């Protein structure tokens, strides 16, 4: 596990998050049964759990894409779910980036355009967006692929475009849902190294859910979700020592 010597500043705090789904109007599936978590600025926090454990459900709520049935979420001192949907979208565009398992790249557009689009949506000037996108694609090692469409890229390359896109508006907080879930071991490792480097260089905070145990290596702290409850893994104790405020 990574060592951690960053000040213990909380940027996200969720409290008693509950979420259930009703199936066939009668069966109630309780997926999240009261989850509380604090995320520190500059850390890589990994949440592991079996398939179906509720990882994506939790990540979507923490990332403000979905609302819980109960509980609160505070990001940068904003009580997020008190906001209207429109305001939440603005908040998300400003502070949050997402990397999904199946990258969701737009097939008709090039790597460069895929990275530029969120910036344009965020009302950046076209030329700034282009310059910044080229910079980001360089950073993920795709400078020779900027004009390729997703179908002309390998799985690992597509996932790196997705990472570059997630970084487009320089979000301070990046959520990743099984980012290496469909990559082979070589590409997974490359992606994990990339995340670690971005975290070190840009001080961006990552919250990653996965069932891939290897991701634990780059994490500062690891939690496990099981039976709707989140618990800290043993290993965290050592890294907590580094997190005490001086
Ligand atoms: N929109 C939904 N409607 C009904 N059930 C859902 C919905 N989303 C997720 N679930 C169920 O909730 C459980 C947790 O799903 P998910 O969060 O996707 O798990 P994970 O990402 O850990 O694999 C699963 O049993 C899944 O079928
Ligand atoms: Mg999932």
């Amino acid at each position: 596990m990574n060592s951690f010597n960053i000040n213990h500043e909380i940027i996200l705090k969720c409290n008693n998050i509950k979420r259930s789904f009703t199936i066939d109007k009668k069966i109630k599936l309780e997926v999240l049964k009261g989850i509380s978590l604090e995320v520190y600025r500059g850390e890589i926090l990994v949440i592991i759990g079996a398939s179906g454990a509720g990882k994506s459900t939790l990540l979507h709520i923490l990332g403000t894409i979905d609302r819980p049935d109960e509980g609160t979420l505070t990001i940068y001192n904003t009580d997020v779910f008190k906001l209207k949907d429109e305001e939440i979208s603005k908040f998300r565009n400003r502070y949050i980036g997402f990397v999904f398992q199946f990258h969701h790249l737009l097939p008709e557009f090039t790597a460069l355009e895929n990275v530029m689009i969120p910036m344009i949506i965020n009302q950046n000037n076209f030329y700034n967006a282009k310059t910044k996108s080229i910079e980001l694609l360089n950073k993920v090692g795709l400078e020779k692929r900027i004009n390729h469409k997703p179908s002309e890229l390998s799985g690992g390359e597509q996932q790196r475009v997705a990472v570059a896109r997630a970084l487009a508006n320089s979000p301070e907080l990046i959520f990743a849902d099984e980012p290496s879930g469909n990559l082979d071991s070589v590409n997974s490792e490359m992606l994990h190294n990339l995340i670690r480097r971005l975290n070190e260089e840009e001080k961006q905070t990552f919250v990653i859910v996965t069932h891939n145990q290897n991701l634990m290596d780059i994490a500062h702290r690891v939690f496990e979700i099981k039976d709707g409850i989140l618990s800290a893994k043993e290993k965290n104790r050592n890294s907590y020592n580094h997190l005490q405020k001086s």
Side-chain angles (χ1 to χ4, degrees), residues 23 44 53 73 83 92-93 103 111 117 120 122-123 131 150 186 206 215 230:
I23 303 160
I44 300 178
L73 173 69
L83 303 177
R92 189 187 314 123
N93 282 337
H103 21 75
I117 288 165
I120 307 269
N122 224 15
Q123 279 153 25
T131 310
V186 172
F206 285 84
L215 261 165
L230 194 70

Side-chain angles (χ1 to χ4, degrees), residues 55-56 177-178:
K55 300 182 298 299
S56 296
D177 192 351
E178 313 237 10

Side-chain angles (χ1 to χ4, degrees), residues 55-181:
K55 300 182 298 299
S56 296
T57 304
L58 177 61
L59 200 77
H60 292 164
I61 292 171
L62 297 181
T64 76
I65 292 177
D66 188 20
R67 286 178 188 265
D69 302 327
E70 258 181 69
T72 56
L73 173 69
T74 310
I75 305 180
Y76 299 119
N77 298 319
T78 299
D79 190 344
V80 178
F81 295 125
K82 285 231 172 85
L83 303 177
K84 295 192 191 102
D85 286 351
E86 249 178 60
E87 295 168 322
I88 291 185
S89 300
K90 273 194 200 149
F91 183 87
R92 189 187 314 123
N93 282 337
R94 168 144 183 230
Y95 292 111
I96 294 174
F98 267 97
V99 182
F100 297 98
Q101 177 174 8
F102 297 105
H103 21 75
H104 298 301
L105 297 176
L106 300 167
E108 302 302 317
F109 293 89
T110 64
L112 179 61
E113 289 161 342
N114 267 283
V115 179
M116 285 176 69
I117 288 165
M119 293 192 221
I120 307 269
I121 291 173
N122 224 15
Q123 279 153 25
N124 273 287
N125 147 318
F126 183 90
Y127 290 98
N128 290 345
K130 188 168 177 182
T131 310
K132 174 92 194 286
S133 299
I134 292 173
E135 220 177 275
L136 286 170
L137 286 163
N138 278 338
K139 192 165 275 177
V140 301
L142 290 176
E143 56 281 358
K144 300 215 170 86
R145 299 281 186 281
I146 62 171
N147 294 318
H148 289 230
K149 290 188 176 161
S151 61
E152 300 160 348
L153 297 167
S154 72
E157 288 169 341
Q158 289 181 44
Q159 198 57 310
R160 282 186 277 151
V161 175
V163 172
R165 180 186 53 184
L167 301 174
N169 291 317
S170 308
E172 296 171 40
L173 186 51
I174 294 155
F175 293 92
D177 192 351
E178 313 237 10
S180 45

